[in-house]
Amino acid sequence: MGRTVVVLGGGISGLAASYYLSQAPCPPKVVLVEGSERLGGWIRSVRGPDGAVFELGPRGIRPAGPLGARTLLLVSELGLDSEVLPVRGDHPAAQNRFLYVGGALHALPSGIRGLLRPSPPFSKPLFWAGLRDLTTPRGKDPDETVHSFAQRRLGSEVASLAMDSLCRGVFAGNSRELSIRSCFPSLFQAEQTHRSILLGLLLGAGRGPQLDSALIRQARAERWSQWSLRGGLETLPQALNAHLTSRGVTVLQGQPVCGLSLQAEGRWKVSLGDSSLEADHIISAIPASVLSKLLPAEAAPLARALSTITAVSVAVVNLQYRGARLPVQGFGHLVPSSEDPVILGIVYDSVAFPEQDGSTPGLRLTVMLGGSWLQTLEARGCVLSQELFQQEAEKAAATQLGLNEPPSHCLVHLHKNSIPQYTLGHWQKLESAAQFLAAQKLPLTLAGASYEGVAVNDCIESGRQAAARVLGTEPNS
Ligand SMILES: Cc1cc2nc3c(=O)[nH]c(=O)nc-3n(C[C@H](O)[C@H](O)[C@H](O)COP(=O)(O)OP(=O)(O)OC[C@H]3O[C@@H](n4cnc5c(N)ncnc54)[C@H](O)[C@@H]3O)c2cc1C
C-alpha cells in the first residue's frame, strides 16, 4: 500500500506543499486538512457592491529573485497567466514609496542620484549611510536586532526611520526585538559574506536556479515590482484547490485537527473531533504555536521550542472614497513608530491595481493598524471594536492624505496573531526543532510562515521544500 501524507493547514503553505506532493511522478496519497470552512488562510479577497476588489490580507507578490520566479512558474502551471496584473517598473507604484514623518509625506530616494541629494526626513544624503556601511567592520554576534544592525551599519536615522518602518510594514513588529538574521537574511548574509550590505547585495545577487517561463521573462523584461490577480490574490488558493481535487488529493474543510499521537508502528493518528486519520508522514503548515499544543508528550521538547514562536495581530481597514484624489502617486507610505504608534502604513491600492477599482470612480486604500498600541490594548483585555479601528483609519487618511470626506465603503478586520515574529535568536529555535526531528526520526516536516519568511513567496517555497523532503527529492531542483 502507498504512503499517506497528511498536510495540516489549508493556507498558501499547506496548499503549496500538497500541490508539489501531487506533482511527483509517483505521488503518495495526500490529505489536506483545513480547520476553517475556507482555504487560503490569510489570503482573502472580497468584492464590494460595485465589483471592487478588497484584499483583507496580502495584496501584492514580488516577482524578484528565485522565489519570485518560482511563484510565477506556479501561476503559469495553474493556467492563471491571463489573470496576472503586473506593476511594471516605470509605473508610479513601482517607483514611489513614501515615509510619513514630521506630519508630511517624504518620497524615499531611488537611484544613485537620489542617494547623493539631501532627502528629508534624513538630515544628510543617504550616500553617507552607504559610506558608513562600506567602512564598518563585520559584526561578530550570531544574531542581532534589526535596529542594532541598522544603527551599526547605516546610522541612527536609517535605523529609527527606515528600518523601524520596514519592520512595521512587513512584520507589524518592533525593530528593537526582531532578528536581522531571520527577518532580513539577505542583509545579514551580505554582511557575513562581503562585510557590507551594499557590496553583498551588488555582488551576491542572481544566485539560485534560473527558472524560465514566458511569464518570468515578461516580468524581468518589464521590471515588475509586484503583481496581483484580476479577481484578487485569493484566486491563487482557489486555483490550487481546483488543481488538487483534479489530482485526487483529498481536501477536508471545517475539520480542525485537535490532537496528534504516535502509534506503535511509527505512524501518526490525526484526531479531528469525531473522526481520525492515519498518516505515515505529516507536513504541518499551521502556526508553530498551534502545532505545539497538538503534539504528543513524546515531542515535548519540540513543542516547547515551537510555543515560543509567537505572532502579533494586525487590524486591516479597507476604505473606498468616491471621486477622491491622492496628494501623491505611489505604492503607499509607511509610518515609523516614533511618528504614530497606531498606524503601520497605508497602501494606495488604486494606484497599483486600478483594474480592481470596480465601477465607482475613486480610490481604494488599505490602512494597517497594529504595533505596540494594539499589543497593549490586547494585553489589557480592552474591547476592540470595529468602530475604534475605523475611526483611527479614517483619521489617518484625513491627516496623512488629506481625505476629509467620509469613505463610501469600509471593511474592518482584526487578524489576530496573524504575523509571526522572528525575534532575536529565532534561528536557535529552528535549529533546536530541526535537531529534535532528526534525532527522534519523527515523520514530521514543518512549513509555513512561522519559520523562514512570511511573504507569500516564502510560504510557497516552504511548502515546496517540505514536499521535496517527504518525497526524498532534491529541494533545489
Ligand atoms: C494583513 C496581512 C497582509 C499581508 N500582506 C502581504 C503582502 O502584501 N505580500 C506578501 O507576500 N505577504 C503578505 N502577508 C503575509 C502572508 O499573507 C502570510 O504570511 C501567508 O499567507 C501565511 O500563509 P500560511 O499558509 O503559512 O499560514 P496561514 O495563512 O495562517 O494558514 C494556516 C492555515 O491553517 C489553518 N489551521 C490553523 N489551525 C488549524 C488546525 N488545528 N487544524 C487545521 N487547520 C488549522 C488556518 O485556518 C489557516 O487556513 C500579509 C499577511 C497579513 C496578515
Side-chain angles (χ1 to χ4, degrees), residues 7-15 33-43 56-62 169-170 226 233 255-258 272 285-287 290-291 294 312 314-316 331 368 415 417-420 447-450 453-459 462:
V7 179
L8 311 182
I12 192 66
S13 304
L15 286 163
V33 190
E34 165 55 39
S36 72
E37 295 296 341
R38 58 174 281 285
L39 296 165
W42 295 117
I43 304 182
L56 309 188
R59 63 218 46 251
I61 298 183
R62 291 172 62 79
V170 180
Q226 56 171 320
L233 282 180
Q255 302 260 23
V257 176
C258 52
L272 307 170
I286 57 179
V290 176
L291 175 64
L294 302 177
V312 295
V314 178
V316 175
F331 173 75
M368 306 277 183
H415 296 323
N417 304 325
S418 54
I419 316 236
S450 296
V454 299
V456 170
N457 287 333
D458 299 315
C459 292
S462 79

Side-chain angles (χ1 to χ4, degrees), residues 170-386:
V170 180
F171 291 93
N174 182 343
S175 65
R176 289 176 161 80
E177 292 169 4
L178 294 175
S179 144
I180 189 75
R181 178 170 174 159
S182 301
C183 294
F184 300 102
S186 59
L187 302 188
F188 178 78
Q189 275 313 325
E191 183 187 55
Q192 293 298 308
T193 320
H194 296 278
R195 200 195 43 77
S196 147
I197 302 175
L198 291 183
L199 287 180
L201 295 183
L202 279 174
L203 303 174
R207 292 220 200 93
Q210 278 285 321
L211 299 170
D212 191 36
S213 74
L215 199 60
I216 294 170
R217 281 195 296 279
Q218 191 189 344
R220 286 190 188 129
E222 296 175 354
R223 297 181 296 110
W224 296 2
S225 67
Q226 56 171 320
W227 56 269
S228 180
L229 295 165
R230 200 165 299 280
L233 282 180
E234 194 173 341
T235 310
L236 183 58
Q238 284 165 351
L240 278 164
N241 180 27
H243 180 92
L244 293 178
T245 313
S246 76
R247 299 282 296 197
V249 170
T250 306
V251 180
L252 304 177
Q253 288 168 242
Q255 302 260 23
V257 176
C258 52
L260 302 171
S261 49
L262 276 165
Q263 296 176 314
E265 334 76 80
R267 298 187 90 212
W268 289 102
K269 182 175 167 203
V270 180
S271 303
L272 307 170
D274 294 344
S275 61
S276 65
L277 297 167
E278 296 218 344
D280 298 288
H281 200 106
I282 287 178
I283 293 179
S284 170
I286 57 179
S289 58
V290 176
L291 175 64
S292 74
K293 296 194 187 92
L294 302 177
L295 287 169
E298 300 95 299
L302 175 64
R304 268 196 299 279
L306 298 182
S307 69
T308 62
I309 304 176
T310 55
V312 295
S313 307
V314 178
V316 175
V317 181
N318 303 87
L319 297 171
Q320 188 177 31
Y321 292 87
R322 215 181 289 273
R325 285 174 64 86
L326 284 166
V328 292
Q329 292 293 297
F331 173 75
H333 69 256
L334 291 173
V335 187
S337 53
S338 53
E339 180 76 18
D340 183 339
V342 179
I343 306 295
L344 304 171
I346 305 185
V347 186
Y348 316 155
D349 300 302
S350 287
V351 179
F353 302 116
E355 304 87 340
Q356 296 177 333
D357 271 352
S359 56
T360 310
L363 190 62
R364 285 172 308 118
L365 298 177
T366 307
V367 185
M368 306 277 183
L369 305 90
S372 59
W373 167 75
L374 184 52
Q375 282 170 38
T376 309
L377 292 182
E378 285 183 315
R380 287 190 191 145
C382 297
V383 179
L384 297 171
S385 68
Q386 299 228 336

